Amino acid sequence: MPTLIIHNPATDAQITQLPADDAQSVASKARAARAAQPAWAARPIAERRACIVHFRAAVVAQLDALAAVMTSETGKPITMSRNELNGLLGRIDFFLDQGAAAVATETVFDDAAMREQIEHVPLGVVANISAWNYPWFVGCNVIIPALLTGNAVLYKPSEYATLTGLEIGRLLHEAGVPREVLAVLVGGGEVGAALLAQDIDGLFFTGSHATGTRIAQALGSRLVKLQLELGGKDPTYVCDDADPKLAAASLADGAMYNTGQSCCSVERIYVHEKIHDAFVQAFMETVRGFAIGDPTQDNTYIGAITRAPQLAVFDAQVQDARAKGATVLCGGERLPGPGNWYPPTVVTGVDHTMDLMREESFGPLIGIQKVADDAEAVHWMNDTRYGLTAGVFTPDESRARALLSQVHAGSVYWNCCDRVSPRLPWSGVGDSGVGLTLSTYGIQTFTRPKAWHLRRG
Ligand code: NAD
């Protein structure tokens, strides 16, 4: 049986070795899920909901220990691990509140002769292949509504967040979800690939564009429902009437929170030339206050880089920007190990010939570009294949609305950034993906609408 070795990215120390899945065990878990799903779907939704209520209570009771596990395997600062778990509770509450109503049968026409109804039928067996950066969020965005609506779930957490994935599985099983109905698959890309070969009714993926397109190709001929939540190169524009200090404080956090390893991290900033210098000065003041170091400490803001190979991406982007004339105001070079460390890096004098402004960095790097007016800002914001989020800072709501309605993005922000709400759909445009999670649509997405034509008599 293969093994998966788990390392602590902040120290390089080996945390543990786990037995991993292989093609046979993946197939057997998929068969068991298929056999178990009808009975799970046949339970009243109140029973499935009760399991999620127990799960939520267990997360609350064990929050500190769960946060420590996540920090150990991802290098996420411990306060941010706790924040993620606390944020998860709000998402679970939304699913608990809205789940039954979102999938209740709808009568859309009713007269003396005819009734028409829409029934929301579970997809069946769904696979969830997941990322490591917010493992509780991205895992549970799929697992919780999928289970609530009567699906069985084959869940493959990232190989960089496997201990967290196993904790999610443990707590759901202890809360009453049968092991066959929620199966955790341990391993890397090869286990994900083995999962694609199984008899599944839906594939819900969170991860990189490169892997997402590979998965889409693998499933293309199978006509399996496919959702891909992929990367981004999320822009924000700071208008000339914005308060540079307020905007800088918010955007420095939006760019660097979780060590910049968020799908909706601010990755590009455009600033009106009138306030560019004041903005950059305020941005640097905020960034200089970010404490970098041991992620287990409460005062740490910048933790470790979870995946060592990403360091080479940062090196290449900074080198490319420097070679093309940009100015690196801070950071720009790896920090010594053990572990994977990269400091907050702020680059000005950038333009769109540079990879830093075009390719996802997924780390604590940010390029700040000066623009002459709103039209130029919109032009550069849309100069990307991605379209996850975009923001505008200005006190003028109508100006923000006019600008944001021209920007291609699944989510848009006025005077905020790096924000996800369970009440709103989370989706991408272009290379940021297809489909959505969260909101009531993100509950219905785990069902298919079955049309009932009922003639009386
Ligand atoms: P990744 O693509 O490297 O891996 C994601 C998952 O795919 C992992 O579980 C991995 O084991 C699996 N996988 C790898 N190769 C596979 C294959 N051939 N077949 C099946 N599965 C395979 O991504 P990552 O490094 O885990 O995550 C970072 C990326 O995720 C970033 O681009 C980030 O923007 C994106 N992300 C997007 C969202 C969103 O909501 N849009 C949320 C979080 C992260």
Side-chain angles (χ1 to χ4, degrees):
M1 192 168 228
T3 52
L4 179 69
I5 301 175
I6 314 281
H7 285 105
N8 181 331
T11 62
D12 286 338
Q14 181 176 320
I15 300 174
T16 187
Q17 283 192 38
L18 299 169
D21 279 283
D22 59 15
Q24 282 77 32
S25 66
V26 171
S28 118
K29 287 177 182 178
R31 280 194 300 272
R34 175 64 66 195
Q37 188 268 332
W40 176 248
R43 289 198 200 180
I45 191 165
E47 276 184 30
R48 297 195 298 268
R49 190 179 177 283
C51 295
I52 306 304
V53 170
H54 290 313
F55 170 73
R56 186 195 189 283
V59 172
V60 171
Q62 299 173 44
L63 194 139
D64 284 340
L66 298 171
V69 168
M70 177 161 42
T71 288
S72 73
E73 63 181 338
T74 64
K76 187 190 290 271
I78 188 71
T79 51
M80 298 181 192
S81 291
R82 291 193 207 107
N83 288 349
E84 181 174 343
L85 285 156
N86 279 311
L88 174 78
L89 301 178
R91 294 189 187 194
I92 294 175
D93 288 341
F94 174 81
F95 292 134
L96 291 173
D97 288 348
Q98 301 292 323
V103 296
T105 297
E106 299 165 62
T107 300
V108 291
F109 182 78
D110 201 4
D111 71 7
M114 196 78 197
R115 178 182 293 171
E116 295 174 355
Q117 291 185 313
I118 302 170
E119 183 190 8
H120 298 278
V121 181
L123 293 174
V125 176
V126 301
N128 177 22
I129 299 179
S130 201
W132 48 264
N133 59 328
Y134 284 94
W136 282 90
F137 280 162
V138 294
C140 291
N141 285 353
V142 171
I143 295 169
I144 302 300
L147 289 175
L148 263 179
T149 52
N151 296 277
V153 182
L154 299 164
Y155 165 47
K156 198 205 80 65
S158 166
E159 57 273 43
Y160 295 95
T162 303
L163 299 177
T164 293
L166 289 167
E167 290 292 62
I168 293 173
R170 176 179 69 83
L171 294 182
L172 283 165
H173 297 150
E174 288 173 6
V177 177
R179 292 185 165 274
E180 300 76 18
V181 168
L182 184 270
V184 182
L185 309 177
V186 172
E190 67 296 342
V191 175
L195 186 47
L196 303 181
Q198 308 308 314
D199 172 25
I200 52 174
D201 302 300
L203 188 286
F204 295 79
F205 173 77
T206 310
S208 63
H209 175 261
T211 309
T213 48
R214 214 170 296 141
I215 287 175
Q217 280 160 2
L219 286 180
S221 62
R222 302 256 308 274
L223 307 183
V224 167
K225 174 163 183 169
L226 179 63
Q227 281 203 185
L228 303 171
E229 302 213 335
L230 309 178
K233 190 70 192 168
D234 296 1
T236 298
Y237 169 42
V238 184
C239 298
D240 53 351
D241 56 359
D243 179 329
K245 283 195 178 159
L246 286 180
S250 172
L251 289 171
D253 185 53
M256 305 290 173
Y257 189 86
N258 205 34
T259 318
Q261 301 172 115
S262 309
C263 54
C264 53
S265 281
V266 177
E267 288 243 343
R268 303 178 276 150
I269 301 177
Y270 304 93
V271 186
H272 194 284
E273 59 190 9
K274 275 194 201 151
I275 63 162
H276 174 269
D277 294 355
F279 174 85
V280 170
Q281 191 186 341
F283 195 90
M284 289 301 294
E285 274 163 27
T286 306
V287 168
R288 283 199 194 94
F290 290 155
I292 181 165
D294 181 353
T296 65
Q297 297 302 305
D298 273 0
N299 67 339
T300 295
Y301 182 86
I302 298 282
I305 300 302
T306 308
R307 290 177 63 255
Q310 201 64 15
L311 294 168
V313 173
F314 308 156
D315 289 343
Q317 290 193 348
V318 170
Q319 217 172 358
D320 171 67
R322 271 205 177 105
K324 290 172 180 162
T327 305
V328 179
L329 295 182
C330 65
E333 275 173 37
R334 299 180 192 200
L335 299 173
N340 315 320
W341 295 96
Y342 204 89
T345 297
V346 180
V347 188
T348 55
V350 292
D351 62 39
H352 275 228
T353 64
M354 302 171 188
D355 288 346
L356 178 65
M357 297 304 278
R358 300 186 57 84
E359 304 300 330
E360 188 178 46
S361 307
F362 217 58
L365 281 69
I366 188 76
I368 303 176
Q369 182 171 337
K370 195 186 283 187
V371 293
D373 54 29
D374 291 4
E376 187 188 354
V378 170
H379 171 79
W380 293 125
M381 288 168 97
N382 280 334
D383 184 34
T384 175
R385 302 180 318 273
Y386 290 113
L388 196 56
T389 81
V392 165
F393 278 71
T394 168
D396 180 347
E397 180 174 355
S398 55
R399 183 176 180 183
R401 282 184 176 274
L403 287 165
L404 290 170
S405 59
Q406 298 171 64
V407 175
H408 309 301
S411 296
V412 292
Y413 301 124
W414 175 40
N415 291 335
C416 56
C417 56
D418 190 22
R419 180 178 192 275
V420 180
S421 163
R423 298 171 292 279
L424 292 171
W426 187 248
S427 69
V429 173
D431 282 2
S432 290
V434 290
L436 59 90
T437 49
L438 300 177
S439 78
T440 50
Y441 298 106
I443 300 172
Q444 289 175 345
T445 196
F446 297 98
T447 64
R448 63 183 171 80
K450 183 168 182 174
W452 289 78
H453 304 244
L454 303 166
R455 185 178 295 284
R456 291 197 169 87

